[in-house]
């Protein structure tokens, strides 16, 4: 797995040669799962909260460089920990001044069995407890490694929303407690290690069914990602917000289209200056990534 991660990141760097000259502007490198990557409720990739953050920073003339090459759908905290230790990730993080991390949900939610037609969820408490303990240990290590790799960066740990708004109310209590525990762990670990925790649960409250429209999928709409981006800005700079008229037009890419676009870029060895980059990580195996998306929720 570590070798594959290195190959994926290396292909991204090969296909896009950047000259990073931030000169006081933010060098923004997000890490984490499919929320950091921008997965849609229909298993495509589009603008997510990281893209909206970079867009707003650019609008304010504060963005020097942005890449979500270290964001992978399906990532657990263990995957993020392995990623930040690769040579390619270390090089990408070296000049970072801003890092956001979305990790932890997959550790827990991959254990949850959901029946969309009946509105029922099930999981084993012992397994959930074990997963949450792993989140605690791995996030401690992730923050330590990121701080070492990106000594100039301010680090923000993103929380999660309630992912199951369509199940029966009686089913929400148990899984809600587990998600509360996840948020508490992420907040405690972040603050203990000098990072800033971003709560997004309140911004989704009462709107979960609209923002997470697919009963069989836990990913939000672009409006949901806007809520996440604005939750970030409440801690980063409360005068900055992403407003609805500023939202980019939907442009979802299937995984196959995403892979093909990166192959095209790699073959052309395109050059780009580091003003605003929304480059996606190259993925070399359609079957591999499809299997990942079938197995993992975030």
């Amino acid at each position: 797995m570590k070798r594959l991660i290195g190959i994926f990141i290396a292909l991204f760097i090969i296909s896009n040669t950047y000259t990073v000259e931030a000169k006081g502007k933010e060098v923004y490198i997000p890490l984490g799962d499919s929320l950091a990557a921008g997965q849609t409720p229909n298993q495509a990739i589009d603008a997510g909260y990281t893209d909206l953050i970079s867009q707003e920073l650019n609008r304010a003339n504060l963005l020097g460089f942005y890449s979500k090459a270290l964001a992978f759908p399906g990532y657990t905290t263990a995957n993020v920990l392995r990623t930040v230790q690769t040579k390619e990730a270390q090089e990408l993080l070296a000049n970072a001044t801003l890092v956001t991390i979305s990790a932890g949900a997959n550790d827990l939610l991959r254990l949850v069995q959901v029946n969309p037609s009946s509105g029922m969820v099930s999981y084993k408490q012992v397994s959930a407890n074990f997963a949450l303990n792993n989140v605690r240990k791995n996030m401690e290590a992730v923050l330590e490694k990121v701080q070492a790799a990106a000594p100039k960066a301010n680090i923000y740990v993103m929380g999660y929303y309630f992912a199951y708004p369509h199940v029966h109310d009686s089913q929400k209590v148990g899984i809600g407690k587990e998600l509360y525990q996840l948020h508490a762990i992420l907040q405690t670990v972040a603050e203990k290690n000098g990072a800033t925790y971003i709560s997004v649960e309140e911004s989704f409250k009462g709107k979960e069914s609209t923002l997470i429209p697919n009963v069989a999928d836990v990913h939000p709409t672009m409006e949901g990602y806007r809520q996440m981006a604005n939750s970030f800005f409440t801690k980063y700079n409360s005068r900055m917000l992403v407003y609805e008229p500023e939202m980019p037009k939907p442009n979802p890419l299937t995984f196959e289209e995403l892979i093909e676009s990166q192959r095209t870029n790699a073959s052309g060895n395109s050059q780009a200056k580091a003003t605003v980059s929304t480059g996606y990580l190259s993925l070399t195996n359609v079957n591999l990534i499809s299997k990942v998306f079938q197995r993992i929720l975030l």
Side-chain angles (χ1 to χ4, degrees), residues 3-69:
R3 181 173 177 272
L4 283 174
I5 292 169
I7 292 171
F8 290 164
I9 301 171
L11 284 173
F12 173 85
I13 294 172
I14 289 170
S15 65
N16 298 277
T17 303
Y18 298 107
T19 304
V20 180
E21 298 176 347
K23 296 183 178 179
K25 296 183 180 182
E26 296 284 21
V27 176
Y28 176 31
I29 308 296
L31 299 167
D33 53 34
S34 59
L35 295 187
Q39 186 172 340
T40 74
N42 301 305
Q43 293 199 336
I45 298 292
D46 204 345
Y49 79 85
T50 62
D51 301 290
L52 297 178
I53 289 172
S54 73
Q55 173 186 283
E56 187 62 22
L57 290 172
N58 186 56
R59 193 186 308 278
N61 199 31
L62 295 175
L63 185 65
F65 177 76
Y66 163 65
S67 169
K68 58 181 181 182

Side-chain angles (χ1 to χ4, degrees), residues 5-197:
I5 292 169
I7 292 171
F8 290 164
I9 301 171
L11 284 173
F12 173 85
I13 294 172
I14 289 170
S15 65
N16 298 277
T17 303
Y18 298 107
T19 304
V20 180
E21 298 176 347
K23 296 183 178 179
K25 296 183 180 182
E26 296 284 21
V27 176
Y28 176 31
I29 308 296
L31 299 167
D33 53 34
S34 59
L35 295 187
Q39 186 172 340
T40 74
N42 301 305
Q43 293 199 336
I45 298 292
D46 204 345
Y49 79 85
T50 62
D51 301 290
L52 297 178
I53 289 172
S54 73
Q55 173 186 283
E56 187 62 22
L57 290 172
N58 186 56
R59 193 186 308 278
N61 199 31
L62 295 175
L63 185 65
F65 177 76
Y66 163 65
S67 169
K68 58 181 181 182
L70 304 182
F72 293 80
Y75 259 22
T76 63
T77 53
N79 294 137
V80 174
L81 179 57
R82 284 193 290 268
T83 295
V84 299
Q85 296 178 82
T86 63
K87 177 183 177 182
E88 295 82 6
Q90 296 273 314
E91 292 174 352
L92 197 55
L93 287 165
N95 292 308
T97 62
L98 171 61
V99 173
T100 56
I101 305 173
S102 286
N106 282 324
D107 298 64
L108 177 65
L109 300 190
R110 64 179 176 169
L111 305 174
V112 179
Q113 303 297 316
V114 183
N115 187 327
S117 60
S118 67
M120 304 292 284
V121 297
S122 62
Y123 60 93
K124 293 182 179 180
Q125 188 64 59
V126 172
S127 298
N129 293 343
F130 183 78
L132 290 170
N133 191 49
N134 277 341
V135 170
R136 189 192 316 274
K137 293 187 296 184
N138 288 337
M139 283 300 291
E140 289 268 6
V142 165
L143 288 171
E144 178 185 346
K145 298 297 183 183
V146 172
Q147 287 166 343
K152 297 177 287 186
N154 291 314
I155 303 170
Y156 295 79
V157 174
M158 303 294 293
Y160 292 90
Y161 46 81
F162 183 74
Y164 302 106
H166 302 287
V167 302
H168 289 309
D169 289 344
S170 62
Q171 298 287 294
K172 294 178 181 178
V173 177
I175 191 61
K177 289 180 180 179
E178 304 305 329
L179 287 167
Y180 175 82
Q181 282 293 105
L182 173 63
H183 299 158
I185 289 169
L186 292 174
Q187 181 172 6
T188 299
V189 172
E191 294 174 353
K192 177 183 175 183
N193 290 275
T196 301
Y197 176 71

Side-chain angles (χ1 to χ4, degrees), residues 103-288:
N106 282 324
D107 298 64
L108 177 65
L109 300 190
R110 64 179 176 169
L111 305 174
V112 179
Q113 303 297 316
V114 183
N115 187 327
S117 60
S118 67
M120 304 292 284
V121 297
S122 62
Y123 60 93
K124 293 182 179 180
Q125 188 64 59
V126 172
S127 298
N129 293 343
F130 183 78
L132 290 170
N133 191 49
N134 277 341
V135 170
R136 189 192 316 274
K137 293 187 296 184
N138 288 337
M139 283 300 291
E140 289 268 6
V142 165
L143 288 171
E144 178 185 346
K145 298 297 183 183
V146 172
Q147 287 166 343
K152 297 177 287 186
N154 291 314
I155 303 170
Y156 295 79
V157 174
M158 303 294 293
Y160 292 90
Y161 46 81
F162 183 74
Y164 302 106
H166 302 287
V167 302
H168 289 309
D169 289 344
S170 62
Q171 298 287 294
K172 294 178 181 178
V173 177
I175 191 61
K177 289 180 180 179
E178 304 305 329
L179 287 167
Y180 175 82
Q181 282 293 105
L182 173 63
H183 299 158
I185 289 169
L186 292 174
Q187 181 172 6
T188 299
V189 172
E191 294 174 353
K192 177 183 175 183
N193 290 275
T196 301
Y197 176 71
I198 304 296
S199 174
V200 304
E201 196 170 14
E202 282 299 314
S203 65
F204 274 65
K205 195 170 184 179
K207 300 176 287 187
E208 292 96 338
S209 294
T210 301
L211 298 178
I212 310 163
N214 189 342
V215 297
D217 191 278
V218 299
H219 295 89
T221 62
M222 196 179 294
E223 172 59 21
Y225 283 124
R226 186 176 77 90
Q227 296 295 331
M228 294 183 70
N230 285 342
S231 294
F232 163 81
F233 282 120
T234 62
K235 292 293 183 72
Y236 177 85
N237 184 337
S238 60
R239 293 174 295 178
M240 299 177 69
L241 288 174
V242 181
Y243 294 97
E244 287 188 48
E246 300 170 345
M247 298 280 281
K249 292 181 180 180
N251 184 33
L253 294 175
T254 65
F255 306 131
E256 291 80 3
E257 290 170 338
L258 187 58
I259 293 165
E260 184 57 35
S261 69
Q262 286 303 307
R263 284 174 177 162
T264 300
N265 286 341
S267 64
N269 193 26
S270 59
Q271 302 283 322
K273 280 211 168 187
T275 52
V276 184
S277 167
T278 56
Y280 297 101
L281 182 69
S282 294
L283 303 173
T284 59
N285 190 317
V286 176
N287 292 329
L288 171 64

